[in-house]
Amino acid sequence: MQQNGVYDLLRLLEMSIDDSFPIIPGRFVLAKPKEIEALIDKIYRSLPVEVQEARAFLRRRDEMQAEAQQKAEKIIADAQAEADRKLSEADFLKALEREGNRIRTQVQEECEELKRKALEEADNIRLKATEDAMKTREGAEIYAEQVLTNLERDLTQLQQVVKNGQVYMEKLRTDSYSNYDLPSSYELRNGSQDYASSNR
């Protein structure tokens, strides 16, 4: 669906909210959840493929961050259980704080790395799309140039064929005139007429 379709759906969503029953004017309204959810689903489906892919990628990143957070929480819980068994309360609290800080730093670094990779992948996708568009345009220009070059060559060959035909026809005419023998009586008669005409 085109971008105007997304705007139309957003306008329908605004109208649905505006038409909702106000509980506290300007703050809370009573809306139909199924109608709102249906419009939101249509808006998501109307987004460009690139946006949907980016959204899916961000969702995967969030899931990975959640998994990393769960892993960190499990490590902290395991460390706390082990510390309860081996350490005194004071040593346990100190060790747990150190481990928590270390894990928190590790999780933050992993999240920053995921963010960096997501941005890098988005840039690579954008660059690849730009390069593909340029290659397509260059290919079209090269094809057009080849067609024109071939057409020029064919026209040149046709022109040469025409010239060769003209030269050949001229040669035939020349050869036919040189091989044509006139009778001597015709030459004398014509010569006398030419002489008589010159003395008039």
Side-chain angles (χ1 to χ4, degrees):
M1 187 178 294
Q2 296 180 350
Q3 190 173 8
N4 291 336
V6 178
Y7 291 145
D8 292 339
L9 291 172
L10 290 173
R11 181 58 185 158
L12 289 175
L13 181 60
E14 292 176 355
M15 293 173 60
S16 178
I17 295 174
D18 292 338
D19 294 339
S20 301
F21 181 76
I23 299 177
I24 299 178
R27 299 193 63 183
F28 299 102
V29 295
L30 185 62
K32 298 178 180 178
K34 291 185 178 180
E35 181 178 346
I36 299 296
E37 291 173 357
L39 287 173
I40 291 175
D41 289 339
K42 289 182 180 179
I43 291 172
Y44 279 136
R45 290 195 299 269
S46 301
L47 293 174
V49 176
E50 293 80 3
V51 176
Q52 295 181 16
E53 291 178 350
R55 182 172 176 269
F57 180 80
L58 293 176
R59 184 166 58 249
R60 291 196 301 272
R61 187 194 66 179
D62 293 339
E63 292 174 355
M64 294 176 66
Q65 289 178 346
E67 291 178 0
Q69 184 66 30
Q70 292 176 359
K71 179 181 178 182
E73 292 174 357
K74 184 178 183 303
I75 293 174
I76 292 174
D78 293 341
Q80 183 175 358
E82 185 68 16
D84 284 339
R85 187 176 66 84
K86 292 184 177 180
L87 301 175
S88 64
E89 183 176 356
D91 292 338
F92 163 73
L93 292 175
K94 290 180 181 178
L96 182 61
E97 183 179 359
R98 288 195 300 269
E99 184 66 8
N101 290 334
R102 185 188 68 80
I103 293 174
R104 183 168 54 251
T105 301
Q106 180 181 353
V107 171
Q108 289 176 350
E109 291 175 354
E110 290 177 355
C111 291
E112 289 296 326
E113 180 65 16
L114 288 173
K115 179 181 177 181
R116 185 189 66 79
K117 288 182 178 179
L119 293 175
E120 183 178 351
E121 183 172 349
D123 289 338
N124 290 335
I125 292 173
R126 184 169 57 253
L127 289 174
K128 187 177 185 302
T130 302
E131 290 175 358
D132 290 343
M134 292 179 63
K135 288 180 180 179
T136 301
R137 186 179 62 185
E138 291 174 358
E141 292 175 353
I142 292 173
Y143 176 75
E145 184 177 356
Q146 290 177 348
V147 170
L148 292 175
T149 301
N150 293 336
L151 182 60
E152 181 181 8
R153 186 191 63 222
D154 294 339
L155 290 175
T156 302
Q157 292 177 352
L158 289 174
Q159 186 179 11
Q160 187 62 40
V161 169
V162 172
K163 287 183 178 180
N164 291 340
Q166 291 174 340
V167 170
Y168 179 74
M169 293 302 297
E170 182 64 26
K171 184 175 182 301
L172 287 178
R173 284 195 298 269
T174 303
D175 292 341
S176 64
Y177 288 146
S178 62
N179 293 330
Y180 186 77
D181 296 327
L182 294 175
S184 57
S185 59
Y186 180 81
E187 290 177 355
L188 291 175
R189 186 169 56 252
N190 284 346
S192 301
Q193 291 176 355
D194 290 340
Y195 179 79
S197 298
S198 63
N199 290 331
R200 287 181 181 177

